[in-house]
Amino acid sequence: MSRVLGVDPGTRRTGWGVVERAGGKLRALAAGVIRLDARAPLADRLEIVYDALDAVIEEHRPRAVAVEDVFYAKYPNAAIQLGHVRGVVLLLVARGGLGLGEYPPALVKRTVAGRGAADKRQLGRIVGAMLSLEEELGADATDALAVAITHLAATPSR
């Protein structure tokens, strides 16, 4: 059995999702979004992300964390701030002694949807079908689940 926490980092919304693989079957254990006040200082938002993801790790005990890589952004400052959120995730991984997977968005889309240019709605439908989700979770949580699925696809089952 493998359990992975997927994270879709953001400075306004950070998505997270825990996926478990048992006997070749994937199952979503939990997913959500950490909503952040864009007007709050970045340091305060990073602390909120740290505390929330630390609680998720404590509750669900994943063996690894998979995080989306920083992509090229139209605005370099946005990419830099996104890098700070990823740094918080990497700190949690290091402190928890967890495995780490880092995946570019196009690889996540290609792994889950079969093509790197899949849109958010298409990705959401496919993730929902793969995990037999009964309700739509929203793009941030769905993206995080897709990152976790990508990690599980990249790591052999035992």
Side-chain angles (χ1 to χ4, degrees), residues 7-9 66-72 79 82-83 86 90 100-108 147:
V7 179
D8 178 29
V67 63
E68 200 167 69
D69 270 343
V70 174
F71 58 93
Y72 172 77
L82 185 63
R86 287 187 77 253
L90 299 180
L100 174 65
E102 300 174 89
Y103 304 97
L107 177 62
V108 172
V147 174

Side-chain angles (χ1 to χ4, degrees), residues 21 27 32 34-35 38 43 47 56 71 82 102 105 107-108 116 120 127 129 132 138 142 146 152:
R21 178 178 58 202
R27 179 170 71 114
I34 305 162
R35 298 185 192 289
E47 181 180 29
V56 169
F71 58 93
L82 185 63
E102 300 174 89
L107 177 62
V108 172
K120 296 256 185 205
V127 167
S132 302
T142 301
L152 288 166

Side-chain angles (χ1 to χ4, degrees), residues 2-6 17-20 62-66 147-148 151-152 155:
S2 297
R3 186 175 292 179
V4 175
L5 167 61
V18 181
V19 177
E20 183 175 80
R63 290 184 179 207
V65 175
V147 174
H151 185 77
L152 288 166
T155 55

Side-chain angles (χ1 to χ4, degrees), residues 2-125:
S2 297
R3 186 175 292 179
V4 175
L5 167 61
V7 179
D8 178 29
T11 56
R12 292 183 181 173
R13 292 177 315 277
T14 291
W16 62 271
V18 181
V19 177
E20 183 175 80
R21 178 178 58 202
K25 185 172 169 89
L26 297 177
R27 179 170 71 114
L29 300 180
V33 177
I34 305 162
R35 298 185 192 289
L36 305 159
D37 182 351
R39 297 166 304 196
L42 180 59
D44 293 347
R45 289 183 273 162
L46 295 176
E47 181 180 29
I48 291 167
V49 170
Y50 182 93
D51 290 343
L53 291 178
D54 189 43
V56 169
I57 290 169
E58 180 69 29
E59 179 178 351
H60 295 286
R61 302 280 185 204
R63 290 184 179 207
V65 175
V67 63
E68 200 167 69
D69 270 343
V70 174
F71 58 93
Y72 172 77
K74 183 176 179 181
Y75 303 102
N77 193 41
I80 290 168
Q81 287 193 358
L82 185 63
H84 291 308
V85 178
R86 287 187 77 253
V88 165
V89 175
L90 299 180
L91 177 61
L92 282 162
V93 168
R95 287 205 164 163
L98 302 169
L100 174 65
E102 300 174 89
Y103 304 97
L107 177 62
V108 172
K109 290 176 183 179
R110 195 167 45 252
T111 300
V112 174
R115 62 188 194 99
D119 64 32
K120 296 256 185 205
R121 287 177 47 199
Q122 181 183 18
L123 190 66
R125 285 192 307 270

